Amino acid sequence: MKEKNKKKMLLKLFLSTLYLSAFTFGGGYVIVTLMKKKFVDQYHWIEENEMLDLVAIAQSSPGAIAVNGAIVVGYKLSGILGALVAILGTVLPPFVILSVISVFYKAFRNNWLISQLLEGMQAGVGAVIASVTLDMGIPIVKEKEAVSLIIMVGAFVAACLFGINVVYIVIVCGIIGIIRTLLLNRRKMK
């Protein structure tokens, strides 16, 4: 019975990541919101705070955030096999779509209808990315923890106003998180 449930969950994971990847346009950050809705809100496989942690891991790792997100979610749910299933589901649609597009690239490149379609999609993607930002930022604001708010605002200012590379921001935020955790653990021991 347990083996049957695992296979069912793996199939559901594959179909979910396949669906999300096939119908998500505009980059990895768009898929994060959809993954949250699917895995946290609909299936209840992961808690919201845990999803934020997994997204942070995915974002701070090299590679595409959609694939990294699928890896950490798949691994969390079912170990290495879950990660492999999620990777396959996430990579398959773009691989097929880009393979087809590359064959017909010259025809697509100069097609007015395709260029208008892509321009319209860019506007929608901007809105979805803004939604991701709100979905990830609101829980931090709701916690009303001063250090988290300062880190969030500081990271925003560093990226948007000073143009600091996101890699450096993530590293600094990680270091701050480590220091903060060590200090909190030291206080608990006393």
Side-chain angles (χ1 to χ4, degrees):
M1 186 70 176
K2 190 175 183 180
E3 185 68 28
K4 186 178 179 183
N5 286 341
K6 185 172 183 173
K7 284 182 181 180
K8 198 180 225 183
M9 196 271 298
L10 286 171
L11 178 63
K12 209 172 193 180
L13 176 63
F14 173 77
L15 293 175
S16 296
T17 54
L18 184 79
Y19 171 81
L20 291 172
S21 183
F23 296 103
T24 302
F25 296 91
Y29 291 105
V30 176
I31 202 170
V32 169
T33 297
L34 299 175
M35 287 174 92
K36 180 212 173 269
K37 287 179 182 170
K38 183 69 82 178
F39 300 134
V40 174
D41 300 337
Q42 185 179 349
Y43 293 149
H44 307 288
W45 285 345
I46 301 172
E47 296 293 321
E48 187 166 343
N49 286 340
E50 194 172 18
M51 183 70 190
L52 289 173
D53 292 342
L54 296 176
V55 169
I57 292 168
Q59 184 177 3
S60 61
S61 303
I65 192 166
V67 177
N68 291 349
I71 290 169
V72 294
V73 168
Y75 187 81
K76 160 71 173 99
L77 294 175
S78 195
I80 296 290
L81 185 58
L84 293 173
V85 165
I87 290 168
L88 185 62
T90 303
V91 171
L92 203 56
F95 176 76
V96 170
I97 291 167
L98 289 174
S99 295
V100 170
I101 288 174
S102 67
V103 170
F104 300 104
Y105 176 70
K106 286 186 181 181
F108 285 141
R109 183 178 66 185
N110 297 322
N111 186 303
W112 179 83
L113 183 62
I114 298 293
S115 69
Q116 295 305 305
L117 176 75
L118 292 173
E119 204 169 299
M121 287 170 54
Q122 287 175 356
V125 167
V128 172
I129 290 173
S131 172
V132 170
T133 304
L134 285 174
D135 284 350
M136 292 178 71
I138 287 174
I140 293 170
V141 172
K142 283 183 178 177
E143 284 179 12
K144 297 179 183 170
E145 192 174 331
V147 175
S148 295
L149 290 171
I150 291 168
I151 291 170
M152 184 174 73
V153 170
F156 178 81
V157 168
C160 293
L161 297 181
F162 296 111
I164 295 173
N165 189 314
V166 176
V167 172
Y168 301 128
I169 295 170
V170 169
I171 290 170
V172 168
C173 289
I175 291 169
I176 292 170
I178 290 169
I179 292 169
R180 183 176 174 204
T181 302
L182 291 173
L183 291 174
L184 287 174
N185 286 342
R186 182 181 283 176
R187 284 183 192 158
K188 287 179 183 177
M189 287 183 185
K190 289 182 179 183

